Amino acid sequence: MISVEKALEIIINSGQDFGAEISVEEIPFLKSSGRILKESIFADRDFPPFNRVTMDGIAIDVTSFQNGQRSYKIEGIQPAGSEQISLKNAENCIEVMTGAVLPKNTSAVIRYEDLQISDGIAKIMVEEINHFQNIHEKGKDEQKGTKLIAKNTLIGAAEIGVFATVGKSFVKVAKHPKVMIISTGDELVSVDEIPLAHQIRKSNVFTLVSLLKKLHISSEISHILDDKIVLKSKIKACLETFDVLLFSGAVSKGKFDFLPVVFSELGVEKLFHEVAQKPGKPFFFGKTEKCTVFGFPGNPVSTFMNCLVYFYPWFFKSVGLKMEGKTAILSENVIFKPNLTYFLPIKINYRFGHLIATPINANGSGDLASLLKADGFMQLPNEQNEFKKGESYPIITYK
């Protein structure tokens, strides 16, 4: 049995490189949200690309105003999206619309609210006009050639907008792993079935599907009965087809927990089996040359927690994304005597700018409903068994 820290180190060091050149794909930019960018994005022109009018009104040559002029004949109009026109007479003005290019020979925009317009004459009703007021100057935000988005950025709505602005209709992203989620056990029935007294409905596979979907990873699901020959045959095919296999159940020490033996017989290299933690101690991790295998214990809280604690960091490392750690402050004393790292279910609140973690009462790793009450887990180290109110510890959240 190894420590949580050692298990996590092994898993992260076993990350596949989905950011390597052969693992990069080019997709339409509108489908890239939630993916990991695998190229840097540069400005193809100045931002903004021209002196941009930011208020509806008139554009004038500020010099005339400084010389005492207050009334201006409207010489023309500059709509947004039209080619730039020029002010021909410095004592006149041009009506301008928000988003339009600033007309040549003008240097300030006065909004309509500060004007009186009658018979084609605009009278300025304010006593102060500043040079380049209400104008978004060319190149003020970014200049042509500037790096706007770095490689290995998680793509969101802001990045999508920048892709559109610079004309990147297709972007390079890290390929996602091909994942199969497999449940085992004769006691499990389909969601739409009415279970017998000794049966339960499948839930863990769907929990895992949802957790992976948060990472924008698609997955397939399968269920295999507790038959060693059948398990071996089906898993052999999966190892040859998928990048990652996530198992729920059959990795403990029961007489029908065949997976560790099946893995060994199929050539899966065991990197560890059993972690000094609660919940999820029987966790198995191994790999072949092409496939990574996560064997989560079958209890629902164990499967859920192990996916967050171990699969998420593995995935982030594999695509080149850094995972930011968080801590929270305990709201009450906690005692946990076993010499194990304890992943305590918690409810999170904000108080005076701090994250406060309140323990949730749960009835062990089989209490699926307890996940509804909690927001995440607090990782309490195995070096101690008393954890005081006001102390800070790492947390992993899922809400």
Side-chain angles (χ1 to χ4, degrees):
M1 191 160 58
I2 66 172
S3 69
V4 167
E5 293 75 19
K6 184 62 178 177
L8 193 55
E9 178 187 339
I10 291 171
I11 286 173
I12 288 176
N13 289 337
S14 301
Q16 298 183 35
D17 190 359
F18 293 106
E21 194 63 35
I22 59 171
S23 298
V24 170
E25 59 183 339
E26 200 165 19
I27 63 174
F29 79 104
L30 269 178
K31 294 185 178 180
S32 67
S33 182
R35 302 293 291 271
I36 310 302
L37 183 66
K38 283 299 171 182
E39 61 176 315
S40 295
I41 303 299
F42 298 88
D44 65 330
R45 60 203 297 214
D46 289 340
F47 278 19
F50 50 81
N51 290 328
R52 178 179 174 273
V53 174
T54 62
M55 291 281 185
D56 297 329
I58 62 169
I60 66 169
D61 177 357
V62 172
T63 304
S64 62
F65 183 88
Q66 293 172 341
N67 291 336
Q69 184 176 340
R70 295 296 181 269
S71 295
Y72 294 80
K73 179 182 177 181
I74 298 174
E75 186 178 283
I77 185 168
Q78 177 82 66
S82 65
E83 291 188 19
Q84 185 182 39
I85 63 175
S86 300
L87 182 66
K88 297 176 182 177
N89 187 330
E91 295 181 352
N92 293 345
C93 69
I94 293 176
E95 283 191 87
V96 290
M97 303 298 113
T98 302
V101 60
L102 182 71
K104 290 181 181 178
N105 305 323
T106 65
S107 53
V109 171
I110 299 90
R111 59 182 190 162
Y112 280 132
E113 293 89 334
D114 296 326
L115 301 170
Q116 284 185 352
I117 299 179
S118 179
D119 298 327
I121 302 296
K123 183 178 180 180
I124 298 175
M125 306 304 294
V126 294
E127 292 302 317
E128 184 178 353
I129 299 295
N130 297 315
H131 188 74
F132 258 62
Q133 74 173 32
N134 298 322
I135 298 166
H136 194 178
E137 294 183 55
K138 177 183 178 182
K140 186 173 183 179
D141 296 344
E142 301 289 353
Q143 295 186 343
K144 181 178 179 180
T146 301
K147 183 188 290 187
L148 302 176
I149 310 175
K151 182 179 178 181
N152 291 333
T153 295
L154 177 63
I155 298 171
E159 286 75 21
I160 296 289
V162 171
F163 296 156
T165 299
V166 302
K168 288 288 293 183
S169 57
F170 283 78
V171 292
K172 293 179 180 179
V173 298
K175 285 184 180 179
H176 273 175
K178 189 176 181 182
V179 181
M180 171 65 85
I181 298 171
I182 302 172
S183 59
T184 63
D186 296 347
E187 76 280 13
L188 300 178
V189 299
S190 299
V191 174
D192 55 359
E193 291 185 48
I194 297 176
L196 300 175
H198 60 280
Q199 297 175 320
I200 57 174
R201 294 186 179 93
K202 302 170 192 173
S203 63
N204 287 355
V205 288
F206 303 110
T207 298
L208 290 172
V209 167
S210 180
L211 285 171
L212 266 61
K213 192 167 287 187
K214 287 185 70 174
L215 300 173
H216 299 269
I217 300 174
S218 299
S219 57
E220 298 181 38
I221 61 173
S222 179
H223 180 73
I224 309 176
L225 297 177
D226 287 327
D227 182 299
K228 184 180 174 183
I229 295 174
V230 175
L231 281 166
K232 188 172 180 179
S233 173
K234 291 190 175 182
I235 292 171
K236 182 176 186 296
C238 290
L239 287 169
E240 295 168 354
T241 306
F242 293 89
D243 299 310
V244 184
L245 301 183
L246 300 182
F247 289 87
S248 177
V251 291
S252 192
K253 295 182 178 179
K255 289 188 176 180
F256 296 96
D257 290 332
F258 297 122
L259 285 184
V261 173
V262 168
F263 292 153
S264 177
E265 292 178 359
L266 290 174
V268 177
E269 179 189 0
K270 181 181 76 173
L271 297 180
F272 63 78
H273 186 196
E274 293 195 350
V275 181
Q277 63 182 17
K278 182 180 175 65
K281 184 169 67 172
F283 174 31
F284 175 97
F285 180 73
K287 64 187 301 184
T288 66
E289 186 177 341
K290 297 181 179 179
C291 186
T292 302
V293 177
F294 291 82
F296 299 141
N299 280 327
V301 178
S302 297
T303 292
F304 194 96
M305 183 276 292
N306 274 311
C307 183
L308 291 173
V309 174
Y310 297 108
F311 177 80
Y312 271 40
W314 176 89
F315 171 71
F316 287 138
K317 174 64 184 303
S318 295
V319 295
L321 191 66
K322 289 186 177 180
M323 195 172 182
E324 299 295 331
K326 292 190 291 186
T327 61
I329 301 170
L330 262 178
S331 67
E332 57 189 68
N333 296 335
V334 172
I335 295 176
F336 182 71
K337 292 186 177 180
N339 187 28
L340 302 170
T341 297
Y342 183 29
F343 288 93
L344 172 71
I346 53 170
K347 188 75 178 174
I348 294 292
N349 292 292
Y350 288 89
R351 194 178 305 159
F352 304 115
H354 296 286
L355 286 176
I356 307 298
T358 301
I360 296 296
N361 290 324
N363 296 312
S365 59
D367 186 2
L368 177 60
S370 67
L371 296 173
L372 300 174
K373 306 171 189 175
D375 298 317
F377 300 92
M378 174 171 272
Q379 183 176 338
L380 301 179
N382 62 349
E383 295 89 5
Q384 60 195 86
N385 52 40
E386 292 187 14
F387 308 92
K388 302 294 186 182
K389 174 182 178 180
E391 294 177 343
S392 294
Y393 297 99
I395 59 171
I396 302 99
T397 58
Y398 55 86
K399 290 184 184 177

